[in-house]
Amino acid sequence: MEKRLFSIVLLFFGMTACVGLRGQNLLPNPGFEVYSACPGWIAEMWKATGWNNPTNHTGSADYHHVCGTNAWVQVPSNAFGSQMPHAGNAYMGFALFYQSTPGFREYIYCQLTPALGLTAGQTYTISWYVSAGDNSSMATDDLQFYLSASAPTWVGNWNSMTTYTPQCAIPSGTFITNKLGWNLVSATFTAAGGERYLTMGNFLLDGATSVMANGAGAYNTGYVYFDDGVLQPSVILSADLQELKAEENGNSVALTWETKTETDNLKFEVERSVGDYQHFEAIGDRMGAGNSSEALQYVFDDPGYTPGVMNYYRLKVVDNNGESSFSNAVGVETRLSGTHFVNSHPNPAQVGMPIQMTFSMEIAQPIHVLLIDMQGREVRNMTFDGEVGLSKISVPTSGLPAGQYLMRAQSGTELVVKRITLL
């Protein structure tokens, strides 16, 4: 802190469980045990591998470690109190507000471990062990979490980052007051898809921040220690599922995965998104074993993949009571061959919103598009110049009434017909 003086587990890609919460942890270095150098002063959060201050935000968190070379950042005793780590040798600390400096905030962020980001539609839980600094005379319940596709940046001061809207927060009334030990706090959200960064702190203005007195302390601030965080899918699944793999194999993409155990596991639904990470569709399934304590291997072949572009795959794991959750996605870059339709979106679309279509093309050639209403009348007849590789075209809908249409697109021998709804 820069002062003015102041049952069952889902496992993927080698992620390990921590702090007694079993399952996939998507946070890097969640206990701040891995470091590039011992902290020597406040505001050195970046020495904890994987964590940093949002770019250009001048409030800054403090890295505390038993190897700290200055009394202000040592463990267990430091400038903000005395606390043993929840586990290991380190923790992070920062202020959620500072009454003597109106508007003052501190944040930390990290890049999550899934290379492609979080999975759309999947519910996740964020949990942290927290403890109030002994030298804090105030406390708050305003701890929020912001998930984003790009790293957070700011305008170069220490104010609240109010332009960001956090997806979730710890429950209202959960004031972080415990100075003697650690309490577990958590929040849950549903991912839009592709979120790769987590930023945590208080995103509210002072007037909207809930505060309360919290005993004696040298600073009238809500300073909090953080340790052993977890970000993981919320649903406990019926299969202890190991790494999903995908690779091109002749004229198909071969998917393989393995379960260590299964309990009331109904099936695995295989989903594919072509060319991007946003348009998953079910392409088949494999029935689960129900109940098994043996290692089982599964194989699924996809002859309907699109050559020449990234094909992304994920599993929807469904158990007998209807609960389901998604694996992380894997991608395979396939060889280009001929011309192939990739995707179209949005559908349905608002009247006046263009329909985007993407083709994968080995050679440049025209793309002919017809848009036909339900009376069989051609309302659009257009030709676009296709490009080698990913060729994207935009079909305008301005001037058309709401309703359903057939869109017929052809390039070479590749012909696709889609039903389009305009709202």
Side-chain angles (χ1 to χ4, degrees), residues 7-334:
S7 252
I8 304 196
V9 187
L10 179 63
L11 293 175
F12 278 99
F13 314 122
M15 296 299 114
T16 57
C18 74
V19 302
L21 296 176
R22 301 182 63 204
Q24 173 193 18
N25 191 359
L26 306 182
L27 297 179
N29 195 17
F32 311 109
E33 298 298 313
V34 182
Y35 57 94
S36 59
C38 293
W41 188 234
I42 57 174
E44 293 185 340
M45 86 306 294
W46 50 270
K47 288 185 176 179
T49 303
W51 295 90
N52 214 325
N53 195 57
T55 301
N56 292 330
H57 192 279
T58 55
S60 47
D62 311 310
Y63 184 37
H64 302 282
H65 199 286
V66 295
C67 72
T69 60
N70 186 287
W72 277 58
V73 291
Q74 289 175 342
V75 168
S77 296
N78 49 66
F80 311 102
S82 181
Q83 185 59 267
M84 293 295 295
H86 177 258
N89 299 307
Y91 45 75
M92 193 71 70
F94 62 90
L96 295 177
F97 76 98
Y98 193 16
Q99 195 171 53
S100 294
T101 308
F104 182 81
R105 296 290 183 272
E106 294 181 319
Y107 304 91
I108 56 172
Y109 85 94
C110 67
Q111 182 173 343
L112 305 177
T113 55
L116 301 175
L118 302 183
T119 300
Q122 171 69 62
T123 300
Y124 294 87
T125 297
I126 305 171
S127 299
W128 282 95
Y129 282 94
V130 296
S131 179
D134 294 316
N135 284 330
S136 291
S137 63
M138 308 292 287
T140 183
D141 60 353
D142 287 316
L143 170 61
Q144 296 111 27
F145 305 99
Y146 173 65
L147 288 301
S148 56
S150 57
T153 61
W154 194 234
V155 294
N157 60 32
W158 36 255
N159 294 130
S160 304
M161 297 201 301
T162 53
T163 57
Y164 294 119
T165 303
Q167 286 86 344
C168 60
I170 65 174
S172 177
T174 310
F175 285 86
I176 303 173
T177 59
N178 187 358
K179 296 182 178 182
L180 300 179
W182 296 90
N183 293 113
L184 185 66
V185 296
S186 62
T188 301
F189 70 98
T190 300
E195 296 93 337
R196 299 176 60 230
Y197 296 88
L198 166 69
T199 307
M200 49 192 287
N202 175 11
F203 294 79
L204 302 176
L205 295 172
D206 282 356
T209 297
S210 301
V211 298
M212 64 179 291
N214 193 30
Y219 309 122
N220 56 355
T221 181
Y223 190 89
V224 178
Y225 299 127
F226 294 83
D227 202 2
D228 289 333
V230 175
L231 194 160
Q232 63 183 0
S234 302
V235 177
I236 303 300
L237 296 180
S238 55
D240 180 358
L241 182 61
Q242 303 301 296
E243 184 176 6
L244 172 65
K245 297 180 180 179
E247 59 181 6
E248 191 173 19
N249 182 22
N251 294 321
S252 68
V253 169
L255 303 175
T256 58
W257 65 96
E258 179 180 296
T259 61
K260 294 297 185 183
T261 62
E262 297 183 36
T263 304
D264 293 330
N265 182 37
L266 178 62
K267 62 181 178 179
F268 303 93
E269 295 182 357
V270 181
E271 297 185 350
R272 177 185 64 215
S273 181
V274 179
D276 60 31
Y277 192 59
Q278 304 297 323
H279 302 89
F280 282 98
E281 296 180 348
I283 60 172
D285 58 34
R286 288 289 181 267
M287 299 306 296
N291 296 284
S292 172
S293 59
E294 301 177 355
L296 299 175
Q297 294 183 339
Y298 292 84
V299 177
F300 183 92
D301 284 321
D302 175 25
Y305 75 101
T306 299
V309 296
M310 290 292 292
N311 288 251
Y312 298 100
Y313 297 89
R314 70 183 184 189
L315 300 176
K316 182 178 181 180
V317 187
V318 183
D319 60 23
N320 286 327
N321 66 9
E323 292 283 358
S324 63
S325 191
F326 296 105
S327 74
N328 287 330
V330 295
V332 56
E333 188 169 7
T334 54

